[in-house]
Amino acid sequence: MRNRVVITGMGAVTPLGTGVEAFREGLFSGRSGVGPITRFDASGLETRIGAEVRDFNPLDFIDRKEARRMDRFVQFAIAAAQMALADAGLDLDHVDRDRAGVYMGSGIGGMETLSEQFAVLFEKGPGRVSPFLIPMMIANMAAGQLAIQFGLRGPNMTTVTACSSSNHAIGEAFHALREGKADVMLAGGSEAAFVPIALAGFSSMKALSTRNDEPERASRPFDRLRDGFVMGEGAGILVLETLDHAQRRGARILAEVLGYGTSADAHHIVQPPDSGEGGARSMRLALEDAGLVPEQVDYINAHGTSTPQGDVAETRAIKSVFGEHARRLAVSSTKSMHGHLLGAAGAVELIACVLAIRDQVLPPTINQEEPDPECDLDYVPNRARPGRVDVALSNSFGFGGQNATVIVGRFREGAADPPR
């Protein structure tokens, strides 16, 4: 017998603010979190804008000595996890910690630490390289540190699938809970890659927007004038529990996880096929996993990065999966406000889906000024609006053609099956 899996807590560190309510305020007010890069001198780069986290103090969450031994992406993860556990009202002293685990995603890991220590190596020699370089840098350390911080001895894994990393982590955690391998999972993603080499690399690929003079208008998914994505940073973590576990402790239930699909494009290292076929297959598999038909989906939080080719391919994928219903459901890309959080994107965007269900509000795609004839769905242009959201689907598509889709729904007490 499969367990039902519910979401009982959420924590977020985002360019729109630290904490889920700050994120929500930015999201539903249509506020851009994009501005000039401040974490280093970006004057020599073609792209000098980004969606940085500007209000984060690690010492609000972590002891000073410990914080110095963590890369920024791990600090984000610790903060988001603390907020998620508090939101869930989960007292870990009353949890079987052998059945409580962590699945986290990160596309790049501790790139800031790696970049700093390269400079130390070249300027001062190998003897001055930090003994904490490796444990600060490796991408699995967010999941490792969360297990250490909270004494969680259950399943523990890191997914590194580029921009799909955290959707894969959440989906795999969902399956672990559904199959009875754990009672509670922290699942999400974290990323902090604002270093010159990362920006230079993405710039060389011509993947980033160069709208440096008007950063708040730079991320414009599905708009005809889009010219690339805006890099962001941050973390999102959700507390997932089996329904039985959540109900036994009287937890407030925010939403139910209904389905998860994953696929590969098997096509190109960075570009999706024009048809969006791989993303379409990911969505179909998630619907099949959830036991839903396309007409039951109300809202899609699109991968929608604001790249010319990717947005068209995703639009075609949605049309191929949803048929005529594609014209009736709402599709938005919240990256238009918080930028592209790379490996953390899926987790933060799934939190946006849960907020849409909780508040019955559709988050907008801002900077919708000139319609692209090839992107002709309802992208909730520029302003949030009230809307019925019982079922929401979140897409994440990563370099290498790795795709992941997660579906969440309004929790219905006593329902043996998914909504409707």
Side-chain angles (χ1 to χ4, degrees):
M1 178 180 173
R2 289 179 166 183
N3 295 306
R4 294 175 68 185
V5 177
V6 295
I7 298 167
T8 56
M10 303 189 294
V13 178
T14 81
L16 296 177
T18 294
V20 168
E21 288 308 311
F23 174 62
R24 174 194 171 280
E25 182 279 327
L27 202 66
F28 289 165
S29 66
R31 174 166 55 84
S32 172
V34 181
I37 290 173
T38 62
R39 291 193 60 77
F40 62 89
D41 178 5
S43 58
L45 295 175
E46 188 175 6
T47 291
R48 300 182 293 279
I49 56 174
E52 296 175 322
V53 172
R54 300 174 192 274
D55 66 345
F56 178 72
N57 180 0
L59 302 185
D60 291 341
F61 303 93
I62 312 164
D63 169 81
R64 183 181 299 275
K65 182 179 178 182
E66 283 188 295
R68 291 179 60 190
R69 296 176 176 180
M70 294 176 182
D71 187 90
R72 183 171 167 89
F73 92 104
V74 177
Q75 295 174 354
F76 285 166
I78 298 289
Q82 285 186 16
M83 290 185 278
L85 288 168
D87 188 44
L90 187 61
D91 182 353
L92 291 173
D93 289 338
H94 293 89
V95 169
D96 180 353
R97 296 185 194 224
D98 289 344
R99 291 185 55 78
V102 184
Y103 282 2
M104 285 289 290
S106 183
I108 298 180
M111 199 163 192
E112 186 170 278
T113 297
L114 181 63
S115 186
E116 290 172 353
Q117 292 301 308
F118 261 128
V120 171
L121 173 67
F122 292 128
E123 293 170 10
K124 300 179 180 179
R128 299 294 297 276
V129 170
S130 169
F132 294 101
L133 162 62
I134 302 302
M136 289 175 70
M137 176 201 74
I138 50 181
N140 70 317
M141 200 47 70
Q145 282 279 15
L146 290 179
I148 294 166
Q149 293 284 321
F150 302 112
L152 306 178
R153 299 183 294 266
N156 193 292
M157 184 170 68
T158 299
T159 53
V160 182
T161 53
C163 305
S164 298
S165 297
S166 52
N167 251 14
H168 276 120
I170 294 165
E172 295 297 327
F174 161 56
H175 279 187
L177 289 162
R178 194 171 69 176
E179 301 302 324
K181 297 176 182 175
D183 299 324
V184 181
M185 295 292 293
L186 291 179
S190 188
E191 203 78 88
F194 270 104
V195 292
I197 187 66
L199 268 293
F202 283 123
S203 288
S204 294
M205 295 171 60
K206 306 298 182 188
L208 298 178
S209 171
T210 56
R211 200 181 291 262
N212 295 305
D213 295 334
E214 40 186 12
E216 70 283 355
R217 298 179 64 207
S219 183
R220 43 196 320 117
F222 307 111
D223 185 80
R224 190 180 67 82
L225 300 179
R226 65 192 183 278
D227 69 335
F229 76 81
V230 174
M231 199 172 93
E233 61 175 354
I237 293 183
L238 301 97
V239 177
L240 272 54
E241 301 181 57
T242 64
L243 176 59
D244 287 347
H245 190 273
Q247 289 184 325
R248 276 200 304 272
R249 70 180 187 87
R252 173 204 53 173
I253 295 172
L254 298 170
E256 181 167 1
V257 187
L258 301 176
Y260 163 54
T262 179
S263 71
D265 290 343
H267 172 71
H268 189 273
I269 54 173
V270 296
Q271 294 177 353
D274 289 343
S275 65
E277 191 275 337
R281 197 147 26 83
S282 181
M283 287 186 270
R284 287 194 185 98
L285 289 168
L287 288 167
E288 180 181 335
D289 193 47
L292 296 173
V293 296
E295 289 73 19
Q296 289 176 283
V297 175
D298 303 301
Y299 167 63
I300 294 177
N301 190 299
H303 185 59
T305 57
S306 187
T307 57
Q309 184 176 1
D311 292 1
V312 172
E314 187 170 11
T315 298
R316 290 171 179 164
I318 291 169
K319 289 178 180 177
S320 74
V321 173
F322 291 90
E324 285 302 311
H325 186 59
R327 304 285 178 187
R328 295 189 288 271
L329 55 74
V331 180
S332 71
S333 173
T334 52
K335 288 184 179 74
S336 58
M337 292 168 281
H338 53 65
H340 189 354
L341 275 59
L342 308 179
V348 168
E349 291 161 15
L350 195 67
I351 290 173
C353 288
V354 174
L355 293 173
I357 291 169
R358 186 192 75 177
D359 296 351
Q360 296 290 282
V361 174
L362 296 163
T365 308
I366 67 168
N367 299 319
Q368 290 282 287
E369 296 172 350
E370 294 199 22
D372 180 338
E374 295 193 87
C375 299
D376 55 355
L377 300 177
D378 173 11
Y379 302 110
V380 194
N382 299 316
R383 291 182 178 79
R385 67 171 193 252
R388 176 177 173 173
V389 187
D390 282 346
V391 176
L393 178 154
S394 176
N395 278 332
S396 289
F397 307 145
F399 282 171
Q402 295 175 300
N403 309 305
T405 299
V406 177
I407 301 176
V408 292
R410 177 191 292 277
F411 173 67
R412 293 173 184 259
E413 184 74 41
D417 296 309
R420 299 188 202 167

